[in-house]
Structure formats: C-alpha cells, structure tokens
Amino acid sequence: MTDPVSEQSLAADFFDTLYQADPDPWRFETSQYEAAKYAATMAALPKPRYRSAFEIGSSIGVLTEQLAQRCDALLSVDISAIAQERAIQRCQHLPQVRFRLMNVPQEYPTDSFDLVLLSEVGYYWCLADLHSAQQRIYESLEPGGHLLLVHWLHDAPSYPLRGDDVHNAFQDFAAVSQLKPLSSQCTADYRLDLYERP
C-alpha cells in the first residue's frame, strides 16, 4: 500500500470549495467515462432489486437517481451540503430516497442494509478512517448483503489514498472477515469489486 499523503481525511470544506466553484466539478452529468462507469456499476449488482441500500457519497445525485430504480429504500449521504442540495433536487421524484448529511465513518446510520455502495469515496479517507469504515460497513450488512466498491485508479496528489489502496485494503479485510469476493473488474481507469456477507 502506498504511503498516505495525509493522516487526515478530507473535510467538508474541501468539497464545498469545489462545488462553490463548479456545480459539477467531476462532470458527473456529462462525462462519457462517468456514464460508462455508472452503467458498469449498475450491471454489477447481482440482484434485480434491493430492500434497503446505503450509498456513501451521493455528490449531486447522478448515480443516486439510477440506483434508486433498483431499491425499495435508499439512504444516500454526503459530507457536502452544497452537493446534497443538488442531489435532493435531482431525486425529488423518487420517494424511496432519503438524504442525510453525514461524515462517514465518524457518523454512521443504525440501519441494516442489503446493499452498500462505496463509489469514488474511499480515497478521500485516511487509512485509519478507511479501516473504521470497513468495520462499520461490515456490521451494517445483512446476511446475503452486497458491498460494491468502485474507484478511479489514477494519481490524485491531494487525496490521502489511491483507488488501489482502497480496494487492496478491502481485499485484506475480506481475508480476515467473512466478506466473500463475488466479482472484480478492472479497466485502465477504474476498479470495481463486489463482496457478499454470508
């Protein structure tokens, strides 16, 4: 694992600054890369429908809107109030979606889930927070529940970790927990790993 560039996770003000300067700083709405990755994300889900899903890091809600079509209930959280307001507007026609401002892993819902999605978020955490998040995610997963990880793989010097660091850490965690690897995909740009709790 590479050495973290920071011993602290990125805070809300980092993201608020980005969203104040640009309402879609990563081009979630228009990027062909994002559209293809979202399609792969949805295709990787083994079940046609989930009872209760948890999305960590909704941003402006582009993927949230797609994920909601497969969920009876979806809790979507983000650290940025600016981003979340756009997500709420985007998903206002979807009554099964709930939004909460939440700084995972310091904060975590008490619900149990049959799906947890961690997409493009893990590398914003420091290593200690990543390890804490792993445990909290595992404890919130119901038996048979799925954990789907998707992360960009290229260098981002301002991020504490890289995408491979996140996925390798979950691979190590699965080896000592009961998380069962189900599938893995790796492109030149992103990595996708699916796990199941027995």
Side-chain angles (χ1 to χ4, degrees), residues 27-87:
R27 303 293 177 260
F28 292 138
E29 294 177 323
T30 57
S31 162
Q32 290 185 346
Y33 159 75
E34 294 294 344
K37 186 189 65 182
Y38 291 159
T41 299
M42 299 305 298
L45 295 174
K47 295 180 181 178
R49 196 157 188 87
Y50 288 86
R51 180 191 63 81
S52 178
F54 181 38
E55 180 189 24
I56 302 173
S58 58
S59 183
I60 61 173
V62 178
L63 181 56
T64 311
E65 186 177 27
Q66 297 181 37
L67 184 62
Q69 310 297 330
R70 303 271 295 272
C71 302
D72 294 335
L74 171 61
L75 173 60
S76 188
V77 304
D78 203 90
I79 197 173
S80 169
I82 297 172
Q84 190 170 85
E85 183 54 42
R86 292 202 64 203

Side-chain angles (χ1 to χ4, degrees), residues 80-109:
S80 169
I82 297 172
Q84 190 170 85
E85 183 54 42
R86 292 202 64 203
I88 291 170
Q89 292 173 3
R90 182 185 307 278
C91 298
Q92 59 186 337
H93 62 294
L94 299 166
Q96 71 271 39
V97 183
R98 293 182 296 134
F99 289 96
R100 286 176 60 187
L101 276 178
M102 187 174 287
N103 184 12
V104 175
Q106 284 75 17
E107 302 169 279
Y108 203 89

Side-chain angles (χ1 to χ4, degrees), residues 129-186:
D129 281 347
L130 175 61
H131 289 159
S132 176
Q134 288 175 319
Q135 189 62 38
R136 301 197 80 167
I137 289 169
Y138 178 79
E139 291 171 354
S140 72
L141 273 176
E142 301 172 349
H146 293 136
L147 166 62
L148 184 58
L149 311 171
V150 190
H151 289 84
W152 188 63
L153 296 177
H154 299 287
D155 285 328
S158 60
Y159 298 175
L161 297 171
R162 297 177 62 192
D164 270 329
D165 295 329
V166 175
H167 286 249
N168 291 341
F170 271 94
Q171 188 173 319
D172 293 342
F173 180 79
V176 297
S177 70
Q178 294 183 337
L179 274 182
K180 176 184 176 183
L182 291 187
S183 65
S184 183
Q185 301 174 38
C186 194

